């Protein structure tokens, strides 16, 4: 149910209303490979916990990644004994491949997964999925690196985990704290738009999904977890680390070249106050000021270096003009992309031409300051020249920002804003009613899972066919 709000308040996001229905709210996937020993106690413990604490209907799906031991037999036995358990077999290895196949076919509005060793304390499961049910967040992850987390593991794994997350922060500008914790959840409508853009089929699947979601502006909720390391883990650390680094390079390259169509999933899930026109609050002003200050600071340093270099073989006026011209071109290009978010080559020449007009105004200010200094002091020291130029550039910077915002890069008309969307009615098919858990919760969706696995094998470059998901869209797999 949506609660409308006045223009001066934060809008409510879409909540999945609680009501009787025929599908589970939560589908927890457990990807396994040769886990004949741990699978049964894990599933029974998870089922007991959900039956005791989770207020809605649920399902547990065992995703067998081409196991060669008796794991398939154990899975089928658990499916026969427990009504809420489903078993699914993939003939190819890969945790990411298994998650994509099951999540793509699931009819539950909330999808989650956890590792079979249950290293994460299950008391964090309800806090993990609660913000997804409420509509507050789009994805949720457990974090072992949050300050309030309680973690027991060796120094080797601790070092590897923290180093990996530092690499993500430094290379991909990731802001989430823990990409590798095997404890995550996502809304089904979000997954339908996000999964076709994720290429990895192994351990890097989680990281790639989170990076794309974060860059697209989706909200990621983090839950501090209690976590105890499994000393018998079968994960090959060196091979996994190598594949992860390859994935970081691939995703970083795709982001740098703009080959990921992030605009297709940017903010389609619920209202975002940044998309609203609020009276007397200039849209994006705070972010633009920060970006402009950063670009301006770097441009000033660049300008001073150029000026000092040109001053060695020319007069102050010539050095100032050359340094300001070169730095102005770079400044306009940087502000165009980073401060005002204009991408692509369209209008670039016009923007540079307008930037040169702004450059002329700055040149007049700085040249006039130098002329006044020469007239007052005859032969001023180089340090005095720099001080006067800094003051003149600060004045020119304020004027440059105002001209950039109002003339060179004005706000685009609302009809061209890619992120705008139409709010969904409460009966949207992508936000089905949440069924309260009851007995006899036995649903067959093996055919859907097979179709999901087949789609994964023939997926190819699925990002080219991806259509933006809107709250008013219908799901062809939903018969209601």
């Amino acid at each position: 149910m949506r609660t409308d709000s006045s223009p001066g308040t934060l809008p409510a996001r879409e909540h999945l209303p609680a009501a009787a229905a025929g599908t589970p709210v939560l589908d927890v996937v457990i990807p396994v490979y040769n886990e004949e020993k741990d699978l049964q106690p894990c599933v029974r413990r998870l089922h007991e916990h959900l039956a005791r604490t989770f207020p809605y209907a649920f399902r547990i799906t065992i995703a067998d990644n081409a196991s060669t031991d008796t794991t398939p037999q154990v899975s089928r036995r658990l499916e026969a004994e427990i009504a809420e358990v489903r078993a699914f077999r993939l003939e190819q290895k890969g945790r990411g491949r298994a998650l994509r196949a099951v999540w793509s076919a699931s009819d539950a509005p909330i999808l989650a997964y956890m590792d079979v060793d249950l290293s994460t304390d299950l008391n964090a499961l309800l806090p993990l999925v609660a913000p997804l049910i409420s509509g507050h967040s789009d994805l949720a992850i457990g974090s072992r690196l949050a300050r309030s987390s309680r973690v027991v593991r060796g120094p080797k794994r601790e070092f590897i985990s923290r180093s990996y997350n530092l690499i993500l922060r430094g290379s991909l500008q990731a802001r989430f704290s823990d990409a590798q914790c095997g404890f995550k959840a996502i809304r089904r409508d979000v997954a339908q738009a996000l999964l076709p853009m994720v290429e990895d089929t192994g351990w890097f699947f989680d990281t790639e999904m989170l990076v794309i979601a974060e860059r697209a502006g989706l909200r990621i909720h983090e839950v501090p977890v209690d976590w105890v390391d499994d000393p018998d883990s079968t994960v090959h650390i060196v091979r996994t680390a190598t594949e992860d680094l390859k994935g970081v390079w691939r995703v970083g390259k795709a982001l740098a070249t703009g080959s990921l169509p992030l605009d297709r999933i940017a903010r389609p899930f619920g209202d975002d106050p940044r998309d609203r026109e609020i009276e007397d609050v200039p849209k994006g002003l705070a972010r633009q000021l920060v970006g402009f200050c950063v670009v301006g600071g770097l441009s000033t340093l660049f300008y001073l270096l150029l000026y000092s270099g040109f001053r060695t073989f020319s007069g102050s006026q010539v050095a100032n003009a050359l340094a300001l011209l070169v730095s102005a071109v770079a400044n306009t290009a940087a502000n165009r992309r980073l401060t005002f978010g204009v991408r692509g080559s369209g209008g670039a020449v016009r923007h540079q031409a307008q930037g040169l007009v702004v450059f002329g105004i700055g040149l007049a200010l700085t040249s006039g300051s130098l002329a006044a200094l020469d007239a007052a002091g005859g032969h001023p020291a180089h340090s005095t020249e720099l001080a006067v130029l800094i003051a003149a550039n600060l004045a020119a910077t304020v004027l440059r920002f105002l001209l950039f915002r109002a003339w060179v890069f004005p706000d685009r008309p609302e009809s061209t804003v890619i992120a705008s969307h139409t709010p969904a009615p409460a009966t949207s098919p992508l936000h089905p009613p949440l069924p309260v858990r009851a007995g006899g919760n036995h649903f067959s969706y093996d055919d859907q899972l097979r179709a999901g696995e087949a789609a994964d094998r023939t997926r190819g470059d699925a990002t080219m066919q991806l259509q933006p998901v809107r709250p008013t869209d219908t799901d062809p797999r939903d018969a209601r």
Side-chain angles (χ1 to χ4, degrees):
M1 179 177 180
R2 176 177 297 282
T3 303
D4 292 332
S5 53
S6 62
T9 60
L10 294 179
R13 291 166 67 87
E14 196 71 26
H15 190 290
L16 300 181
T23 57
V25 172
L26 175 65
D27 192 349
V28 183
V29 182
I30 304 176
V32 292
Y33 174 72
N34 289 348
E35 297 288 354
E36 58 183 1
K37 177 181 177 182
D38 296 331
L39 180 57
Q40 178 167 312
C42 160
V43 171
R44 292 192 180 279
R45 178 182 164 194
L46 175 60
H47 179 266
E48 187 275 333
H49 177 85
L50 288 172
R52 179 169 49 87
T53 65
F54 195 68
Y56 302 112
F58 64 88
R59 177 192 294 134
I60 301 173
T61 301
I62 305 169
D64 176 21
N65 293 287
S67 294
T68 57
D69 61 2
T70 61
T71 296
Q73 289 85 346
V74 176
S75 301
R76 288 193 293 270
R77 185 166 64 249
L78 289 169
E79 181 181 32
E81 295 175 359
I82 305 175
E84 291 82 8
V85 174
R86 297 292 172 269
F88 177 58
R89 164 91 175 171
L90 290 93
E91 298 303 329
Q92 293 177 289
K93 290 181 61 176
R95 182 180 67 173
R97 178 179 288 108
L99 291 176
R100 179 185 289 112
V102 177
W103 280 357
S104 297
S106 180
D107 53 355
I110 306 298
L111 311 169
Y113 95 88
M114 62 181 60
D115 292 336
V116 69
D117 54 19
L118 295 186
S119 295
T120 304
D121 183 60
L122 292 178
N123 286 322
L125 183 55
L126 188 55
L128 184 78
V129 302
L132 307 187
I133 294 175
S134 71
H136 174 271
S137 302
D138 303 303
L139 299 91
I141 65 174
S143 175
R144 299 162 297 184
L145 303 181
R147 292 193 175 185
S148 56
S149 298
R150 301 167 183 172
V151 177
V152 178
R153 62 175 167 181
K156 180 180 178 181
R157 287 184 176 269
E158 181 78 11
F159 174 78
I160 292 174
S161 180
R162 292 190 179 274
S163 298
Y164 180 64
N165 282 281
L166 284 176
I167 291 173
L168 293 180
R169 288 176 178 267
S171 59
L172 301 178
Q173 287 79 51
R175 295 191 298 272
F176 48 84
S177 65
D178 192 353
Q180 294 177 309
C181 182
F183 194 70
K184 296 181 176 68
I186 186 172
R187 287 168 65 105
R188 173 172 165 260
D189 52 353
V190 178
Q192 287 176 333
L194 196 58
L195 292 181
M197 301 180 67
V198 182
E199 294 184 16
D200 191 79
T201 59
W203 292 95
F204 187 70
F205 174 88
D206 312 49
T207 302
E208 186 172 358
M209 179 180 66
L210 290 174
V211 169
I212 295 175
E214 188 175 72
R215 288 298 186 94
L218 304 184
R219 177 174 285 164
I220 301 174
H221 178 72
E222 294 198 14
V223 177
V225 297
D226 297 346
W227 196 86
V228 180
D229 188 20
D230 178 15
D232 298 324
S233 175
T234 59
V235 178
H236 193 287
I237 296 179
V238 176
R239 183 170 60 245
T240 301
T242 302
E243 294 300 319
D244 285 349
L245 292 177
K246 291 180 181 178
V248 169
W249 170 261
R250 175 175 54 79
V251 173
K253 182 179 179 181
L255 291 172
T257 58
S259 60
L260 281 173
L262 298 179
D263 58 300
R264 297 182 179 181
I265 58 172
R267 302 184 195 166
F269 307 105
D271 276 340
D272 191 310
R274 294 169 294 179
D275 293 333
R276 286 191 148 204
E277 293 292 342
I278 301 177
E279 187 176 355
D280 297 329
V281 179
K283 190 173 180 180
L285 178 60
R287 181 188 61 79
Q288 291 177 356
L289 277 173
V290 172
F292 185 82
C293 289
V294 172
V295 172
L298 296 176
S299 296
T300 301
L301 292 176
F302 184 48
Y303 161 80
L304 292 175
L305 289 175
L306 290 174
Y307 177 81
S308 297
F310 293 143
R311 191 67 175 84
T312 59
F313 58 84
S314 63
S316 61
Q317 294 287 2
V318 175
N320 173 64
L322 291 175
L324 198 58
L325 176 61
V326 175
S327 61
V329 173
N331 181 277
T332 301
N335 276 307
R336 181 178 187 269
R337 174 69 181 267
L338 302 177
T339 303
F340 298 97
V342 180
R343 303 176 186 274
S345 58
V349 175
R350 176 175 58 83
H351 292 153
Q352 282 294 346
Q354 292 173 309
L356 289 177
V357 175
V358 178
F359 151 75
I361 298 175
L363 177 62
L365 284 173
T366 54
S367 297
S369 300
L370 285 175
L373 181 63
D374 289 337
H379 298 285
H382 183 62
S383 59
T384 305
E385 285 184 352
L386 290 180
V388 171
L389 285 172
I390 290 174
N393 267 285
L394 287 176
T397 297
V398 175
L399 183 58
R400 185 185 304 123
F401 175 75
L402 296 176
L403 289 174
F404 272 176
R405 181 175 173 83
W407 180 45
V408 183
F409 307 110
D411 286 340
R412 288 168 289 179
E414 191 67 24
S415 60
T416 64
V417 178
I418 295 174
S420 63
H421 60 276
T422 303
T427 57
S428 169
L430 288 181
H431 299 85
L434 296 190
V436 178
R437 175 160 48 83
N441 182 31
H442 188 87
F443 307 104
S444 175
Y445 71 130
D446 285 348
D447 292 341
Q448 290 179 304
L449 286 171
R450 309 292 179 196
E453 184 186 11
D456 178 62
R457 289 196 299 266
T458 60
R459 185 168 58 98
D461 188 11
T463 61
M464 300 304 295
Q465 289 79 37
L466 177 63
Q467 297 297 322
V469 174
R470 300 294 178 191
T472 53
D473 288 345
T474 56
D475 183 1
R477 288 178 302 199
D478 197 333
R480 291 171 293 174

